[in-house]
Amino acid sequence: MSLTIKLTTTPHIINLNLHPKHRTKIPAYSLGVRPKPIYHSNALISILYNNKQPRMSQASASGSVIKSSLIEPDGGVVVDVIVPECERGSKTLEAESLPKVRLARIDVEWVHVISEGWASPLKGFMRENEYLQSLHFNSLRMENGTVVNMSLPIVLAIDDETKENIGSAKDVGLVGPDGDLLAILRSTEIYKHNKEERIARTWGTTAPGLPYVEEFITPAGNWLIGGDLEVLKPIKYNDGLDHFRLSPQQLRKEFDRRQADAVFAFQLRNPVHNGHALLMNDTRRRLLELGYKNPILLLHPLGGFTKADDVPLAVRMEQHSKVLEDGVLDPETTVVAIFPSPMHYAGPTEVQWHAKARINAGANFYIVGRDPAGMGHPTEKRDLYDPDHGKKVLSMAPGLEKLNVLPFRVAAYDTVAKKMAFFDPSRSKDFLFISGTKMRTYARTGENPPDGFMCPGGWEVLVKYYERLQAEEATPAAVSA
Amino acid sequence: MSLTIKLTTTPHIINLNLHPKHRTKIPAYSLGVRPKPIYHSNALISILYNNKQPRMSQASASGSVIKSSLIEPDGGVVVDVIVPECERGSKTLEAESLPKVRLARIDVEWVHVISEGWASPLKGFMRENEYLQSLHFNSLRMENGTVVNMSLPIVLAIDDETKENIGSAKDVGLVGPDGDLLAILRSTEIYKHNKEERIARTWGTTAPGLPYVEEFITPAGNWLIGGDLEVLKPIKYNDGLDHFRLSPQQLRKEFDRRQADAVFAFQLRNPVHNGHALLMNDTRRRLLELGYKNPILLLHPLGGFTKADDVPLAVRMEQHSKVLEDGVLDPETTVVAIFPSPMHYAGPTEVQWHAKARINAGANFYIVGRDPAGMGHPTEKRDLYDPDHGKKVLSMAPGLEKLNVLPFRVAAYDTVAKKMAFFDPSRSKDFLFISGTKMRTYARTGENPPDGFMCPGGWEVLVKYYERLQAEEATPAAVSA
């Protein structure tokens, strides 16, 4: 999990990973001003933009031995609760003898997330004290007094009948939707599932139409069961994409193999256009300017539940591959992997989870855009969240002080230069903003977006997907299904 | 703010105020068990209950010099933003020249709260970054990295017209409901008032019928204005109760004058019955057993907005006076004062505010009961909050680590002993629970509660209040008003 780059001979050892001086978080009382447009909330960035010579540059110029290691995971170690192969048989036998809890599809995604340590230090579904801290404080206090971020309740709901069936048993077996025994949940605690309060505190609204709520909370049971997980074997989806599902441990190994001295994560659930690519490439350039020798991009599409009108994972993965094939992003300095979490569309609450999970995978820089994890209000004609709240909340979130938050510069289509470029407010009329909805409309109608919006290979993937979709929708079988 | 009790001659100095070893907070991961019935969540209490000889007792027995000081206020100093008398004239002149914001009654209560430092380190109405931290994290991170609790948004709403009138002015004058100039708000920041999100995240519901919401949020403007307060003169109500409205500074002086070495606060918005008194007296006895020499009770009724069916402040103050006159509580070791905050009825979110404000007034012990700051769900037949969540959330709240949280033992009427006593589950049928609603029904119908429920002088105050109320309600004038 660490690497040493020998530069020359002097004996100084400098930790390249975190530079407290350069990445100072926004203090609570100093941000009482309107946001500046660009990378405003991070002291690091003012250094980047002012082209000041950073410390470690000087150090490397003067020829130190530079020791680098990846950012420490929350709680100190990446949780891994997958049962070792040698114990699988005995644990499976034991699980068979226990009262059973039948998992919904979403629960399996969370078992996957917990099992690999994305939610470290969480070792299982939340017990009530963890749930309450998550709901009220977006963080957990550890026994040693340190605080880790934990903004989304990661909970398992059960119904009255299952609760009764469990009775006073402390351990239960978790069974997948297909009837496979997946895991044991140990030392369980059952407590009330107050759905209204959970929804209100997580989403900041109880309006009907929130995708995660409608699909998974409203139909769920009135109890939550917390406990420590032992997962009988790694969760696989057999959809041809499992090789992209690298665990935090695997990602850390990969970053170490590539001798990364900075890892910057880009969370997405949409196709990559050239504006995204510009931003990612620009971030790398600036990290190099800051003195990092080998910043690695983690291009990290979300792979769990997404709402019906989002582009499906398999299509997005194909599109991302084209972006790398076409050279828009450099495969040498980019790791593409799937983040197995489901989407909540819970804006400022969820973006903390997205960032925190990437710390556990080794990322010490996190790029955050406009309205992260946001969506339209389900019943009113407006954004559900203030588009600036995501980055503000993320920048102030407890337990994320060690992460460098990089607010997005807005990229748009420059109709003069005929390419995606950082928006220049002094000639705003030259820029064309192409939203996700607009992009999908182009692809759906077969209309081409302006040249330079997306690499042709990537665009073709989208056009073909929408053609297939429309063909399916047009068949009577699909309509009657 | 500190006192020294000389005991004998040895030179050890022991801080009596906070005993980290004895008051350990519940760590996030150790509370995964069902609550034990009595004082379960505080390590201090296990010492109290096990009658272990505490450290400072040994120290005093061995004859140390014991130095004691009151608990440190949040941020290190109690905020005081009341303009010194010598500057009042010039500041008033300046205020007259500024754009004006007309305050609602509730805003004046908050100006009062902020001006005296109950919300320290908050120096004015919240700017957006403070608001977001309060809403999402129930706490604020200070510039030096320390965290203070701040669970309720303390904000000032303005409407479109007022916003337009303020324009680009940075300072504004605050005008009371009667037209008096009360304060200047400096270096203001105006941001959106998303009422739905504020309500959902504060109350955990958006159901119609929340008293604070209906009265003060729904009718309020769509903008919030934050800034630093300068209050032109102390807020007074001229209701004959102002002498009970001691500021945190005045309370600290009073505790010092009495040479308190522990201050335990009891927040209430109901008449005091003998069960409350038993609990308060029992807490004092246990603190003495723990080695404190002079624990002082802060009996601290809430004096701001309460819902219509709560007993009004003046009646409660009269009732509390009788309780002390009748000797149910000892005036020598009790300070009665009014806490000027309005009630939100926001349960686990609000109880943190109630506790935090008392730290600023010098209390290092806080008694918390069943369902603190709770109420019935406005549209469903159930408690709005889980009755145990208040004490659990309080025990884990960021920024309150220095406070000793004392969960309530349940007291009920013991029909055998014919007095209020701690509930004994082994003979539960002997106990009668008399809720606030039940108590009000007794008083309203003129029926007497069982002997020993409340001191006769205190009970008479309530009966007379309800007689007056019924007489008023019966007059046609009142009905048509």
Side-chain angles (χ1 to χ4, degrees), chain B residues 188-316:
Chain B
T188 58
E189 177 189 301
I190 296 176
Y191 55 103
K192 272 177 249 156
H193 187 192
N194 183 332
K195 297 178 187 180
E196 181 189 52
E197 185 174 11
R198 176 181 171 195
I199 296 162
R201 295 197 193 275
T202 303
W203 279 271
T205 178
T206 57
L210 298 168
Y212 191 99
V213 171
E214 304 263 300
E215 291 251 10
F216 307 115
I217 298 186
T218 307
N222 289 319
W223 303 95
L224 298 173
I225 182 167
D228 297 324
L229 266 180
E230 290 183 18
V231 179
L232 297 172
K233 58 179 185 178
I235 304 290
K236 297 293 171 199
Y237 299 78
N238 303 312
D239 57 357
L241 299 173
D242 280 331
H243 63 289
F244 279 117
R245 292 189 177 89
L246 302 182
S247 71
Q249 294 279 20
Q250 289 171 319
L251 284 169
R252 284 173 170 263
K253 275 194 195 128
E254 179 62 18
F255 298 138
D256 272 347
R257 195 187 66 75
R258 297 198 190 203
Q259 303 200 319
D261 59 358
V263 175
F264 59 111
F266 191 76
Q267 141 76 29
L268 71 172
R269 60 169 218 269
N270 272 314
V272 173
H273 61 57
N274 287 346
H276 299 135
L278 170 67
L279 174 80
M280 290 185 264
N281 287 325
D282 193 61
T283 301
R284 180 173 153 80
R285 185 181 63 72
R286 289 168 195 278
L287 289 171
L288 288 170
E289 271 179 22
L290 189 62
Y292 289 100
K293 296 299 167 198
N294 190 24
I296 295 291
L297 165 64
L298 171 59
L299 184 72
H300 215 193
L302 179 137
F305 163 76
T306 51
K307 59 189 167 63
D309 64 345
D310 278 355
V311 179
L313 178 64
V315 179
R316 286 185 279 133

Side-chain angles (χ1 to χ4, degrees), chain A residues 28-29 31-32 34 128-130 133 140-141 189-190 196 201 205-206 349 377 389 392 396 401, chain B residues 28-29 31-32 34 128-130 133 141 189-190 196 201 205-206 349 377 382 389 392 396 401:
Chain A
Y29 279 77
L31 258 176
R34 304 296 165 82
E128 190 176 36
N129 280 309
E130 293 155 347
Q133 289 181 82
L140 300 181
R141 186 160 51 204
E189 177 189 300
I190 296 176
E196 181 190 52
R201 295 196 193 277
T205 178
T206 57
T349 302
H377 192 287
H389 280 187
K392 287 181 185 175
M396 300 186 286
E401 297 82 0
Chain B
Y29 280 77
L31 259 176
R34 305 296 165 84
E128 190 175 36
N129 279 309
E130 293 155 346
Q133 289 181 80
R141 186 160 51 203
E189 177 189 301
I190 296 176
E196 181 189 52
R201 295 197 193 275
T205 178
T206 57
T349 303
H377 192 286
R382 61 171 176 93
H389 280 187
K392 287 180 185 175
M396 300 185 287
E401 298 83 0

Side-chain angles (χ1 to χ4, degrees), chain A residues 225-262:
Chain A
I225 183 167
D228 296 325
L229 265 181
E230 290 183 19
V231 179
L232 297 172
K233 57 179 186 178
I235 304 289
K236 296 292 171 200
Y237 299 77
N238 303 312
D239 56 356
L241 299 173
D242 281 331
H243 64 287
F244 279 117
R245 293 190 176 90
L246 302 182
S247 71
Q249 294 278 21
Q250 289 171 320
L251 283 169
R252 283 173 170 263
K253 274 193 196 128
E254 179 62 19
F255 299 139
D256 272 347
R257 194 187 66 74
R258 297 199 190 202
Q259 303 199 321
D261 60 357

Side-chain angles (χ1 to χ4, degrees), chain A residues 78-266:
Chain A
V78 177
V79 165
D80 176 359
V81 294
I82 299 168
V83 170
E85 208 156 342
C86 60
E87 297 174 22
R88 200 167 289 165
S90 60
K91 298 270 188 191
T92 304
L93 270 178
E94 185 193 349
E96 280 166 1
S97 73
L98 298 173
K100 304 289 186 301
V101 171
R102 190 82 172 206
L103 301 183
R105 167 194 155 199
I106 201 76
D107 304 324
V108 178
E109 292 186 3
W110 283 119
V111 167
H112 183 185
V113 164
I114 298 165
S115 72
E116 295 182 343
W118 296 98
S120 299
L122 203 68
K123 294 190 175 114
F125 287 103
M126 289 179 175
R127 298 192 179 90
E128 190 176 36
N129 280 309
E130 293 155 347
Y131 171 70
L132 288 174
Q133 289 181 82
S134 173
L135 214 54
H136 287 273
F137 315 133
N138 286 196
S139 58
L140 300 181
R141 186 160 51 204
M142 309 293 296
E143 281 193 45
N144 66 5
T146 59
V147 168
V148 298
N149 192 267
M150 195 69 76
S151 62
L152 289 183
I154 299 181
V155 289
L156 177 57
I158 56 173
D159 59 19
D160 295 2
E161 193 187 332
T162 307
K163 177 176 182 285
E164 199 172 313
N165 189 38
I166 293 170
S168 61
K170 292 312 284 177
D171 299 343
V172 302
L174 304 186
V175 178
D178 305 331
D180 302 345
L181 257 179
L182 296 183
I184 297 173
L185 197 64
R186 301 259 186 218
S187 310
T188 57
E189 177 189 300
I190 296 176
Y191 54 103
K192 271 176 249 157
H193 187 192
N194 184 331
K195 297 177 188 180
E196 181 190 52
E197 186 175 10
R198 176 182 172 195
I199 296 162
R201 295 196 193 277
T202 304
W203 279 271
T205 178
T206 57
L210 298 167
Y212 191 98
V213 170
E214 305 263 300
E215 291 252 10
F216 307 116
I217 299 186
T218 306
N222 289 318
W223 303 95
L224 298 174
I225 183 167
D228 296 325
L229 265 181
E230 290 183 19
V231 179
L232 297 172
K233 57 179 186 178
I235 304 289
K236 296 292 171 200
Y237 299 77
N238 303 312
D239 56 356
L241 299 173
D242 281 331
H243 64 287
F244 279 117
R245 293 190 176 90
L246 302 182
S247 71
Q249 294 278 21
Q250 289 171 320
L251 283 169
R252 283 173 170 263
K253 274 193 196 128
E254 179 62 19
F255 299 139
D256 272 347
R257 194 187 66 74
R258 297 199 190 202
Q259 303 199 321
D261 60 357
V263 176
F264 59 111
F266 191 76

Side-chain angles (χ1 to χ4, degrees), chain A residues 279-334:
Chain A
L279 174 80
M280 291 184 264
N281 288 325
D282 193 60
T283 301
R284 180 172 153 80
R285 185 181 62 74
R286 288 168 196 278
L287 289 171
L288 288 170
E289 271 179 23
L290 188 62
Y292 289 99
K293 297 297 168 198
N294 190 24
I296 296 291
L297 165 63
L298 171 60
L299 184 71
H300 215 193
L302 179 137
F305 163 77
T306 50
K307 59 187 167 64
D309 64 345
D310 279 354
V311 178
L313 178 66
V315 179
R316 286 185 279 133
M317 293 311 293
E318 195 185 343
Q319 194 270 350
H320 300 341
S321 299
K322 293 289 175 198
V323 167
L324 271 89
E325 272 175 35
D326 284 7
V328 176
L329 292 173
D330 179 3
E332 281 295 305
T333 58
T334 303

Side-chain angles (χ1 to χ4, degrees), chain B residues 371-390:
Chain B
D371 200 17
M375 52 174 269
H377 192 286
T379 58
E380 298 172 23
K381 268 199 163 269
R382 61 171 176 93
D383 286 333
L384 179 51
Y385 304 106
D386 183 315
D388 287 329
H389 280 187

